Every structure is written in C-alpha cells, then in structure tokens.
Amino acid sequence: MLRYSGINLTGVAIASALFSLAAQASAIDLLANERPVNAPVSAAAVALLPSPNVLVTPGTLTVATSSTNSPPLALLASDNQTRIGSDPDIARLIADGLGLKLKLVPASWEEWPLGLTARRYDVAMFNIAVTEERKQRFDFAVYRADNHAFVVKKSSAITRINQPAEIAGKRIIVASGTNQERILLKWDEENRAKGLPPVEPIYLTDDASATLSLLSGRADAQFGPHSIAAYKAALNGQTRLVGSGPFRAWVAVTTKKGNGLAAALSASLNSAIDSGRYAQVLARWGEQDEAVKTSVINPEGIHY
C-alpha cells in the first residue's frame, strides 16, 4: 500500500508551488552561486556530536552527493570540477555549524545505501525522501519538503498526468530505486487490474540522456524531483510540467542508523534555519517553496 500522511497537498496547491518554482528558476545566477554561503559554529550542535571516531575522517564531514548534472540540486561550477547546488550548499551549512571541514564525494544514486553502510561517507544528500522502509536502515534529518513532477516535451499533446489512468500506455523515464519508480509501478498495477494498457518505464539516471530521450520522442514523459523539472523547464523552454505525484515527501540528510549523527545534523540545520543562512541558500536556488520551519529526526515517511 502506498500511503503518506505527513504533508499531503491538494492539486491546486501543488500546481501553485510548481509554477512558483519555475518562475524563480529563471532568475538563478549560477556564477554568483559559486560563492559559498557559510554558517557560524553552533555550540549546541557540536555538543551533540558523538565520538570523533564515528566520522570517516575525524574533523571532517564526508558527504556523498550526486555526480550527475541535476540543477538546482547538484551541478559543476564554471571550473568544471567544483560541485555546487542546493545540496552541496546545505551540506556546507551543516559542516560549518558542527565546526567540521566539508568533503563532498560525488557518487551515483545507486551507490549511496551501500556507501553509508560501508562507511565510505558519513551522510548522503541525493534528494533522498524519508520512507518507513528506509528508516529501518538509516537515520534522517529533514531539510526540505519535495514533490515529484511529470515533464513532457513542450510540443507534446499530453496536457495532464496527475492520476494512475493518465500514465496508461505511456513511455515514462524514471530512475531505478526511487520513490518515483515505486509510485509509477503502483499506479501501473492499479491500471492493469482495470484492464488499462501497461506503462513502459524507461530507466535512465543521467539527466542529459533523459532529456535527449524526451526531446527526441523516444519517451512520452519523465517522472522525477519537481525542483529539477521546474528548473530545467524554466531555463531551456523545451519542456513543460504537466502534473505531479500524489504527495510531497520529507527530504533528509541520510546517515547510517544508530551511529549517533542524526541529532547533531538536525541541530546544525536548525541553527542555520535560525541564522537565516538556510533561507538564503534555498532562495538563491529557487527552492523557497520547499523550505521547512524546523529540521526533525526520522519523521513519518512514505509507506509501501
């Protein structure tokens, strides 16, 4: 069963948020956003840090973030080496608040669960949504509230995808192992039970390949994080948003369950929220509509 009771929104509210984010994306200054936003040390957060030996490298917060070009969440700076984006920015605020150095480790979406378990990095930030299933293995400190969006080529005849019947018979790009995939397959299961044509998932993780497939007509739509979808639609004008998933989800800094880091991560985030640095970061990436008032630990997640 697919259920989430934390932050359900009406279709009108979701559509309004998507439109607002798309408008904000067009004003993003990438060169200006290469300058880091730093936060002061939070004594309260530092006091919650467990033994230094819990960290992969004592004195450093090692953060896995997306190796793909997925603005506004993660992308390369003008030097073609430095990782920038809202996730690296939030990671820096957390490390600063904890009085730690920051080390960003580019990784793929498929790598982060094993990477955390094997202690290759301390935390992962990949627009990871909290689910009850993931809470069995990982701890979470919330930093955004995110929705999922359906995107089509601008010239597409598709005008709406907001419910299961509207994906029937369509070729839809989705990333494996994501909540979007779970939603898509659940909707497809419901459709098949009603005798509707099956959906054809197209599994791609590289955003450039996904865009090429969409624009070339090899796919009918793409289903992914709405911040990425709105940013791309606003900047290139070649795609447009036609709908959303059934709910917004808590997006959280993710760490190995029981390692003691979650409380310190959450406290550092709350310090950044209180200082205004958190709002500054979200504003410069056009993600104001995804802000949370407080970072909480292990909130209720999506149920499958």
Side-chain angles (χ1 to χ4, degrees), residues 101-263:
K101 296 177 182 178
L102 174 64
K103 179 181 179 181
L104 294 174
V105 180
S108 70
W109 168 266
E110 294 83 2
E111 291 175 318
W112 73 260
L114 179 58
L116 285 178
T117 303
R119 294 190 72 246
R120 290 203 291 268
Y121 26 81
D122 302 309
V123 302
M125 297 180 68
F126 282 83
N127 202 62
I128 301 169
V130 180
T131 72
E132 289 301 304
E133 185 177 44
R134 288 174 182 162
K135 281 167 64 177
Q136 296 176 22
R137 298 175 58 199
F138 306 103
D139 285 327
F140 297 92
V142 169
Y143 67 100
R144 283 191 4 259
D146 184 42
N147 190 48
H148 311 122
F150 286 96
V151 181
V152 298
K153 185 179 179 180
K154 189 174 183 179
S155 60
S156 172
I158 297 171
T159 59
R160 170 190 166 98
I161 302 178
N162 278 318
Q163 54 188 328
E166 292 165 341
I167 68 166
K170 292 182 172 62
R171 301 163 299 168
I172 299 181
I173 299 166
V174 69
S176 178
T178 62
N179 288 309
Q180 296 94 290
E181 181 198 22
R182 298 289 290 267
I183 293 167
L184 196 71
L185 296 181
K186 178 64 176 178
W187 282 7
D188 183 53
E189 181 183 340
E190 294 175 12
N191 286 341
R192 288 171 185 258
K194 296 176 181 178
L196 296 175
V199 73
E200 181 184 337
I202 299 175
Y203 290 103
L204 296 171
T205 56
D206 177 73
D207 193 60
S209 298
T211 299
L212 180 61
S213 293
L214 191 62
L215 297 181
S216 67
R218 293 196 294 269
D220 299 308
Q222 181 176 1
F223 190 31
H226 89 283
S227 55
I228 296 175
Y231 181 97
K232 184 163 53 177
L235 289 188
N236 64 29
Q238 295 177 307
T239 57
R240 54 186 171 85
L241 281 65
V242 293
S244 60
F247 46 70
R248 296 181 83 180
W250 299 120
V251 174
V253 184
T254 307
T255 191
K256 186 176 180 180
K257 191 168 188 65
N259 66 6
L261 282 175

Side-chain angles (χ1 to χ4, degrees), residues 279-303:
Q280 182 182 349
V281 164
L282 292 192
R284 76 179 194 160
W285 292 106
E287 294 180 327
Q288 298 95 313
D289 293 319
E290 299 186 2
V292 295
K293 294 182 179 179
T294 305
S295 173
V296 296
I297 301 168
N298 294 333
E300 181 184 1
I302 303 166
H303 298 257

